Amino acid sequence: MNNPKIRVIVTGASGMVGEGVLHVCLQRDDVEAVLVVGRKPCGTTHPKLKEILHADFFNLAAIESQLNNYDACLFCLGVSSVGMKEDEYYKLTYRLTTHFAETLVKQNPAITFCYISGAGTDSTEKGKSMWARVKGKTENELMKMNFKRAYNFRPGALEPIKGLKNILNFYNYLGWLIPVIRLLAPNSICKLEDLGAAMVNSVTQGYEKQVLEVTDIVALAKK
């Protein structure tokens, strides 16, 4: 039985993770249309790709009407907590993500929301790690919203897709560590390509868990 064709929104496509997820979507026959919403151009062109440039993700009124008739949002937008105070990280992680999600679910009651979180996220919201608490609160809030389904992906370390433009410097200089990580801690790393495939498959096929660790991501990517 063939998977249904889906229409997806992708955010964060000018970053490494979002670019990789977008790349996977554009290669998939079961993704018929992709809308990228971002602050700056993603740098990709494709017959099934449409792009909206929008500077303020806290005020979506100007583009809200263009966000309807989609089956899923693959939310890859995020910031590093390094050097950031908790109130600013909270604003750019919890508030920004949930505001975008609330806007989407009003426009698309049957939409599936896929959120890129992180390994070590604190679902209790009470741990010592600031970023993990904020991510945990964001995950928990998304799972309370009236989406068709909501999934939180915790990929850990990522093996980038060769040939893409936005690979982080870390991977350019320390890419030799990837085989070492795979050997010593195989459940802490996955391929960016698998992450994208798992996100699409969660929309077309569903998954039994709403929080997906590395082992779940790899398993779902193969379905």
Side-chain angles (χ1 to χ4, degrees):
M1 181 175 166
N2 292 329
N3 290 334
K5 289 185 179 292
I6 59 171
R7 297 168 54 83
V8 303
I9 296 170
V10 176
T11 67
S14 60
M16 188 185 94
V17 176
E19 181 189 31
V21 170
L22 172 61
H23 175 79
V24 170
C25 288
L26 295 176
Q27 305 302 310
R28 295 274 298 237
D29 291 336
D30 53 356
V31 178
E32 68 175 5
V34 182
L35 172 65
V36 166
V37 183
R39 298 185 186 93
K40 56 185 179 180
C42 68
T44 300
T45 56
H46 193 278
K48 60 184 179 184
L49 172 62
K50 177 183 175 183
E51 188 168 21
I52 296 175
L53 297 181
H54 187 71
D56 186 3
F57 272 54
F58 292 99
N59 184 356
L60 299 166
I63 65 168
E64 194 168 335
S65 63
Q66 300 177 66
L67 303 178
N68 59 6
N69 194 28
Y70 286 91
D71 302 293
C73 176
L74 312 184
F75 197 90
C76 306
L77 183 64
V79 294
S80 170
S81 65
V82 176
M84 192 175 290
K85 293 183 178 179
E86 183 164 356
D87 57 348
E88 185 67 9
Y89 185 71
Y90 181 88
K91 176 183 176 183
L92 295 176
T93 300
Y94 175 81
R95 284 183 51 203
L96 186 149
T97 304
T98 56
H99 177 68
F100 195 89
E102 287 165 354
T103 302
L104 275 188
V105 79
K106 283 191 295 185
Q107 294 291 321
N108 306 273
I111 198 169
T112 296
F113 197 90
C114 297
Y115 175 58
I116 299 287
S117 185
T121 291
D122 177 14
S123 297
T124 73
E125 307 177 28
K126 296 177 181 178
K128 293 182 179 180
S129 174
M130 178 273 284
W131 77 263
R133 290 195 309 271
V134 175
K135 285 276 193 180
K137 184 175 179 64
T138 306
E139 286 187 355
N140 291 338
E141 185 62 28
L142 291 171
M143 290 188 287
K144 294 175 189 173
M145 291 186 186
N146 195 31
F147 294 111
K148 179 181 179 181
R149 293 188 294 260
Y151 297 107
N152 299 296
F153 291 79
R154 299 179 176 181
L158 283 166
E159 183 176 339
I161 299 173
K162 291 181 180 178
L164 298 188
K165 299 186 291 293
N166 295 311
I167 296 175
L168 296 174
N169 285 335
F170 169 86
Y171 293 97
N172 288 324
Y173 294 112
L174 297 174
W176 58 270
L177 279 174
I178 289 175
V180 179
I181 297 171
R182 285 201 173 279
L183 180 65
L184 299 179
N187 292 334
S188 67
I189 186 170
C190 67
K191 294 179 179 179
L192 180 48
E193 193 169 14
D194 285 345
L195 176 60
M199 294 180 89
V200 173
N201 289 348
S202 74
V203 181
T204 59
Q205 302 177 48
Y207 196 66
E208 60 268 22
K209 299 178 186 177
Q210 285 186 281
V211 176
L212 292 85
E213 306 287 355
V214 170
T215 52
D216 300 297
I217 292 168
V218 173
L220 182 53
K222 296 176 180 177
K223 288 183 73 173

